[in-house]
Amino acid sequence: MAGQKTDPVLVEARRLAGDLEDSYRDRIVAALYARAEAIASRAVKEAPAPRRELDWRLDAILTSRLWGYPIMLALLAVVFWLTLKGANYPSALLASLLFAFQDILTSLFHRLDAPAWLHGIVVLGMYRTLAWVVAVMLPPMAIFFPLFTLLEDLGYLPRIAFNLDNFFKKAGAHGKQALTMCMGFGCNAAGVVGCRIIDSPRERLLAILTNNFSPCNGRFPTLITLAGIFMGGLLTTAAGVAAATLTVVGIILLGIVLMFFTSWLLSRTLLKGVPSSFTLELPPYRPPQVLRVIIRSVLDRTLYVLVRAVLVAAPAGAFTWVLANVHLGAFSIIDHMAGWLQPLGKVVGLDGYILLAFILGLPANEIVIPILLMSYLSTGMLTEVNSLAALGEILVRHGWTWITALNVMLFSLMHWPCGTTLLTIYKETKSLKWPLLAAVIPTALGLAACFLVKLLAGLLDIVAAG
C-alpha cells in the first residue's frame, strides 16, 4: 500500500526534476556565454561588422518558428523540382548513346564468333545494366548533389539542425542527429560513421538505427524516376513536374517523421534514457563558391556514387542474367525465386519480382530497378530503356498502377539498409544485434505501410492495387 501511494509522488518528482535539469543546463550555458561576452567586450575591439548583423537578421527569419519550417520545405521542393525538370532530357540522350554502343559490342562479339552465353553475360547482362544505371542515375545526381552542396556551403544545413533540434529532443534523441540525418541523404554508411559526433552511447545508437530513414543517393533515382512516370505523367507538363516534386518531397518528409517516431519508440522501450543537451554554434553565412562546389560535388559525390554503382551493377547484371536465363523445367531460376515471394508481394501491393529485386539489390540500392527490369523480361535481358515513357510502358505491361509505384517508393524508403551500411553499423557497434535491428525495423514498417496503402486503395476502390 505504501508503495502505491509513493509511486505517483516519485513520478511527479522525476518530472519536476527533469524540467529543473533542463532549465539548469540552459542557465549554465547562458551564464557561460554572458560571461564570455563580457570578457570579450572588455578585451576585444571590433570594427563595425555589418555582415554579422546581416547574419543575425537572416537567422531571425530562417530559424524562426514562423518562417523556419516553411522556408526549409520550400528549399527542399525547389531542389527536387530543378532535379526533376533538368534530368529528363540528358537522361534520354545518354540512354540513346549508350544503347547505340551496344550494337557495336554485339557486332564485335559476332565477328569474334563468341559463344551466345558469353555475349549474353557481358553485353546483355553487364553492359546493359551499366548503361541503364549511368543513363538514369547520372543526370539527377549531377544536378541534385551540387544543389545540396551549395546549401551546405552557404551555411544553411546547420540551421536545419537548429530548427529540428526541439523535435529530436522530444523524441528522446540528440539534436546532433539532425546533422547525421543530412549526411544520410548523401550516403547512409557515411551518416552512420558521422554518428560518432554524438557522445551519448544511447543517443548514438538511436541515430545509427534510424539513419536509414534518410533516403540515400542510391534510392533517389528510383524515387525520382517512379514519381516522374506515375505521378508526374512523364513530366510533359508543368503540373506533372509539380506533382512529381511534391511526391518526392512527401516521401522524404515521411522518412523524417518515421525517424522521429522510431527514435521516440526506441527511447521509451529498448533504449530508455534522458536526452542530453548540446550547444550548436551556427557558422556565419558565406557566399557559395559555385565552381568549387560543383567540382567538389561531382568528384566527391556524383562520381563516387556512380563508380560504386557501376562496380556493383556489373557483377549484379551478370548474375541476374544467369538467373534469368538458366531454366529449371519450364521456368528460369529467377521465375522460381519470384514465385516463392509472390504471395507476400501480392499481400502488400507489390509482386514477387519487386521483392526479389530489392533482395538482389542488397549490395547497392542503385541496381534495384535494373534488376527488376531484367527479371520482368521473358527473354532474360534488359530492354533498351531510352526514356521514361519506355520504362513506364514496361512497368504498366507488368501490371503496375500508380498504387504499385507508390508502394515501391515506400518500400524503397523503408527496407533494409544496403550491405555497405549494414557492415558499417556492425563495425561501429561491434555487435550483430544492431545491424539486424537496423534491417528489421524499417522492413517491418515498409511492409506494414505497403499493406495499408493496398488495403485503403481496395476499400476506396481507387484502382486495382496489383
Side-chain angles (χ1 to χ4, degrees):
M1 291 296 289
Q4 292 177 354
K5 290 180 180 178
T6 55
D7 283 348
V9 177
L10 288 173
V11 170
E12 181 64 11
R14 290 194 186 102
R15 186 183 67 79
L16 294 174
D19 293 342
L20 285 174
E21 189 178 3
D22 290 342
S23 172
Y24 189 63
R25 288 195 186 108
D26 292 342
R27 286 163 59 191
I28 289 177
V29 172
L32 287 173
Y33 268 79
R35 181 64 176 161
E37 285 180 1
I39 295 173
S41 65
R42 290 200 302 269
V44 180
K45 290 184 179 178
E46 293 185 0
R51 178 156 193 84
R52 191 63 184 163
E53 189 175 336
L54 177 63
D55 285 358
W56 290 338
R57 288 182 180 177
L58 286 174
D59 278 340
I61 299 172
L62 296 178
T63 61
S64 74
R65 291 176 184 246
L66 180 61
W67 296 107
Y69 301 121
I71 290 175
M72 194 167 62
L73 294 178
L75 281 174
L76 192 63
V78 168
V79 167
F80 284 110
W81 181 82
L82 290 172
T83 304
L84 284 165
K85 189 72 179 170
N88 199 16
Y89 297 111
S91 184
L93 180 63
L94 268 176
S96 300
L97 292 174
L98 292 173
F99 283 118
F101 186 67
Q102 177 193 299
D103 297 335
I104 300 175
L105 284 178
T106 298
S107 300
L108 179 64
F109 270 71
H110 288 163
R111 197 173 302 168
L112 295 174
D113 200 21
W117 63 265
L118 185 60
H119 172 259
I121 290 178
V122 175
V123 179
L124 303 181
M126 294 175 67
Y127 179 77
R128 280 197 173 190
T129 306
L130 288 176
W132 198 92
V133 167
V134 172
V136 173
M137 287 186 60
L138 182 57
M141 286 195 303
I143 298 172
F144 173 75
F145 288 136
L147 291 174
F148 193 76
T149 311
L150 278 175
L151 291 178
E152 185 181 7
D153 201 50
L154 187 65
Y156 183 66
L157 290 190
R159 270 76 186 178
I160 293 179
F162 181 86
N163 288 337
L164 296 179
D165 174 52
N166 193 37
F167 290 105
F168 278 108
K169 193 172 181 180
K170 286 181 179 175
H174 197 286
K176 287 181 181 176
Q177 189 173 330
L179 297 176
T180 63
M181 178 189 75
C182 291
M183 292 181 200
F185 285 126
C187 173
N188 291 127
V192 169
V193 174
C195 294
R196 293 175 185 175
I197 63 174
I198 300 174
D199 296 326
S200 161
R202 183 191 73 85
E203 291 165 342
R204 193 183 314 130
L205 277 174
L206 281 176
I208 288 174
L209 292 177
T210 58
N211 191 269
N212 190 51
F213 290 116
S214 295
C216 67
N217 46 41
R219 287 179 278 174
F220 273 123
T222 300
L223 299 177
I224 291 171
T225 302
L226 295 183
I229 294 172
F230 288 94
M231 286 74 180
L234 302 176
L235 307 176
T236 53
T237 63
V241 174
T245 300
L246 290 176
T247 303
V248 175
V249 171
I251 291 288
I252 293 169
L253 291 179
L254 175 62
I256 295 174
V257 170
L258 288 171
M259 186 179 294
F260 287 131
F261 170 73
T262 308
S263 298
W264 176 85
L265 191 63
L266 288 172
S267 67
R268 281 155 181 80
T269 52
L270 192 62
L271 295 169
K272 286 183 180 178
V274 178
S276 57
S277 298
F278 85 108
T279 303
L280 176 65
E281 185 174 351
L282 297 177
Y285 293 100
R286 54 183 179 270
Q289 300 176 356
V290 178
L291 185 60
R292 202 179 84 175
V293 164
I294 291 175
I295 294 174
R296 198 178 75 198
S297 64
V298 168
L299 292 178
D300 293 350
R301 294 185 174 179
T302 305
L303 289 183
Y304 169 77
V305 174
L306 190 64
V307 168
R308 195 187 75 156
V310 164
L311 291 176
V312 173
F319 180 64
T320 310
W321 186 90
V322 172
L323 290 181
N325 286 275
V326 175
H327 287 69
L328 297 175
F331 300 100
S332 66
I333 295 177
I334 216 164
D335 288 332
H336 285 290
M337 295 171 72
W340 298 333
L341 295 168
Q342 184 72 357
L344 175 61
K346 296 299 285 183
V347 166
V348 297
L350 303 172
D351 63 34
Y353 290 100
I354 297 172
L355 290 178
L356 182 61
F358 276 103
I359 293 172
L360 295 177
L362 177 66
N365 289 300
E366 296 91 333
I367 59 174
V368 168
I369 292 294
I371 290 176
L372 177 63
L373 286 177
M374 190 184 291
S375 305
Y376 268 152
L377 302 176
S378 58
T379 54
M381 64 181 182
L382 194 65
T383 292
E384 294 183 14
V385 184
N386 53 15
S387 68
L388 285 181
L391 176 58
E393 187 181 338
I394 294 171
L395 297 178
V396 170
R397 205 165 60 227
H398 284 83
W400 280 47
T401 66
W402 69 270
I403 296 292
T404 316
L406 178 61
N407 273 351
V408 172
M409 294 170 75
L410 288 173
F411 199 67
S412 179
L413 174 72
M414 294 176 275
H415 74 289
W416 50 86
C418 70
T420 305
T421 304
L422 288 173
L423 183 62
T424 305
I425 294 174
Y426 172 72
K427 287 182 177 178
E428 291 295 309
T429 60
K430 308 296 182 192
S431 168
L432 285 174
K433 172 185 174 183
W434 302 114
L436 182 63
L437 202 57
V440 169
I441 291 174
T443 304
L445 288 174
L447 292 173
C450 291
F451 174 74
L452 284 177
V453 168
K454 184 188 176 183
L455 187 65
L456 284 175
L459 290 175
L460 298 175
D461 198 23
I462 297 175
V463 66

